[in-house]
Amino acid sequence: MRCPLECDAGAELIVGYGARTLDPDIAAEFERHIDSCDACCKVAAAQKAVWEALDDAEWRDLPVSPDFDRRLFQRIHSREQRRWWLWRALIPLAACMALAAVILMPQPDRSRAPHAQPPQPALQIEQVEHALDDMDLLNQLGAPI
Amino acid sequence: MFVRKRSVLAVIAMALLASPAALARRPPGTRSERAAGLKTPIDEFQRMSPEQQQRALERLPPGQRQKLQERLQRFNRLPPEQRQTLRNLYNRLHELPASQQESVRKAINRFSEQAPERQQALRDELRSLSALPEQDREMRIASREFRNSLSRREQGIVRDMLPVLPSH
């Protein structure tokens, strides 16, 4: 038999051996293999120890509340609900804070900058001249139309 | 529940938008001034602080600066009604595409070349057209009376001036 630890299906075979769910022929073949393979022998021993612990009578005698499942799922559900409400409250709050930060953010005082240039008026004086040209032209009509 | 939360958020957002810091960044008094038609570059210049006006004027050579100041004083000496009429005409002119603005300017120049009594006839016609709803103006221009009272050149002046007449 090829060593199960060297192939992909090996873990499944060893777990199946521990759980005693293997086909008897395969289980016998694996037992023959572990006689000559230290690595498989150790893994199989560990698996066996786990299954023996699970088979222990103490586990089976532990009292289980009849509504254990219902209470478990209720707790899982209520925790999920709590998380959802937390997000619902936090998202709008974060949006408002971001909005407030943008609006209330102080503008840099450019007049105090070390090499600040005097601010240029947005209106160009040539625009005033052109407007006066147009006003003079329109005034030639001399009538309120 | 959701609706109430949204309303609260909307109120918060509006309060923040109306905060003094936000208001300070808006251009001053634009709505009322637009309503009054005070939005020409001349009005904008006159709303500037004396320091800003001085800075703007400094860009011109001294002779040109002096001339501009005299023209501004002349404009300010006009009666308020006439100033407002000119503002209205100016604003309507500047709402037109550039090519149409140029046609209006040329039409006014042709108007100025007319004899004084013909200028008066043109003024009367333009005033009558201003009072009409826009759809009736075309009918008036197509009328026999219009064609008989004005020369072809004068008719052209009136047609080119139509876009600056007030709309009803």
Side-chain angles (χ1 to χ4, degrees):
Chain A
M1 181 184 197
R2 190 181 163 197
C3 179
L5 295 178
E6 290 171 3
C7 58
D8 293 341
E12 198 179 328
L13 185 127
I14 296 170
V15 170
Y17 175 73
R20 297 185 204 102
T21 56
L22 286 183
D23 181 87
D25 292 341
I26 296 173
E29 196 180 351
F30 181 62
E31 276 173 353
R32 280 197 297 278
H33 170 77
I34 58 178
D35 285 343
S36 59
C37 177
D38 275 354
C40 284
C41 184
K42 281 179 188 165
V43 174
Q47 276 290 311
K48 199 174 172 188
V50 170
W51 280 102
E52 277 172 2
L54 288 171
D55 285 344
D56 200 316
E58 273 183 38
W59 285 102
R60 275 181 250 145
D61 295 342
L62 276 177
V64 178
S65 158
D67 62 346
F68 175 83
D69 285 355
R70 187 185 61 76
R71 283 168 52 207
L72 174 67
F73 287 116
Q74 200 172 28
R75 284 184 68 175
I76 293 169
H77 183 66
S78 67
R79 192 162 291 191
E80 281 173 356
Q81 285 276 85
R82 223 177 303 156
R83 200 175 305 155
W84 167 234
W85 277 105
L86 187 67
W87 277 112
R88 270 173 75 167
L90 279 177
I91 290 170
L93 189 66
C96 279
M97 285 174 72
L99 185 66
V102 169
I103 291 167
L104 302 174
M105 192 183 295
Q107 295 293 298
D109 189 353
R110 292 196 176 89
S111 63
R112 288 186 193 168
H115 301 293
Q117 296 289 320
Q120 290 294 314
L123 177 75
Q124 301 297 313
I125 197 68
E126 290 79 8
Q127 289 175 269
V128 182
E129 281 191 304
H130 293 318
L132 282 166
D133 291 342
D134 275 341
M135 292 294 190
D136 285 345
L137 186 75
L138 293 164
N139 202 24
Q140 290 177 33
L141 292 171
I145 57 169
Chain B
M1 185 84 164
F2 244 156
V3 173
R4 201 169 59 205
K5 262 191 182 175
R6 279 188 193 161
S7 310
V8 171
L9 286 172
V11 169
I12 294 169
M14 281 167 70
L16 288 170
L17 287 169
S19 68
L23 289 172
R25 266 177 260 158
R26 288 183 196 161
T30 49
R31 186 179 289 183
S32 59
E33 282 156 6
R34 263 203 299 273
L38 301 176
K39 60 171 186 176
T40 68
I42 299 169
D43 298 307
E44 271 187 62
F45 179 78
Q46 289 177 337
R47 277 199 299 271
M48 283 161 56
S49 69
E51 295 78 29
Q52 285 177 318
Q53 288 185 357
Q54 195 56 41
R55 260 203 307 278
L57 286 166
E58 276 167 8
R59 297 187 55 217
L60 295 176
Q64 205 177 336
R65 193 186 312 162
Q66 176 70 26
K67 204 172 158 192
L68 179 75
Q69 282 171 314
E70 285 167 9
R71 292 176 76 190
L72 281 168
Q73 283 166 6
R74 249 198 328 271
F75 178 77
N76 288 331
R77 278 199 297 269
L78 293 174
E81 299 79 25
Q82 193 175 347
R83 279 206 304 267
Q84 193 54 49
T85 301
L86 288 172
R87 279 189 192 106
N88 294 342
L89 275 168
Y90 176 91
N91 290 335
R92 288 200 294 271
L93 177 68
H94 280 261
E95 280 167 8
L96 300 174
S99 61
Q100 223 170 349
Q101 287 184 29
E102 215 35 55
S103 299
V104 173
R105 289 190 184 100
K106 283 180 182 165
I108 298 173
N109 285 330
R110 294 205 302 278
F111 169 89
S112 307
E113 291 163 5
Q114 303 297 307
E117 69 276 9
R118 296 316 301 161
Q119 285 189 8
Q120 192 52 49
L122 284 165
R123 274 190 205 107
D124 292 343
E125 185 59 51
L126 287 167
R127 201 177 295 129
S128 307
L129 284 165
S130 305
L132 292 176
E134 279 150 289
Q135 62 269 26
D136 294 347
R137 289 177 191 168
E138 288 299 330
M139 283 169 62
R140 166 71 190 164
I141 283 177
S143 71
R144 185 180 294 273
E145 191 190 341
F146 178 82
R147 281 184 277 131
N148 288 342
S149 62
L150 299 175
S151 69
R152 275 184 184 276
R153 187 178 169 79
E154 290 167 343
Q155 290 173 34
I157 292 170
V158 172
R159 271 197 207 92
D160 288 345
M161 295 281 296
L162 280 180
V164 281
L165 297 187
S167 49
H168 296 289

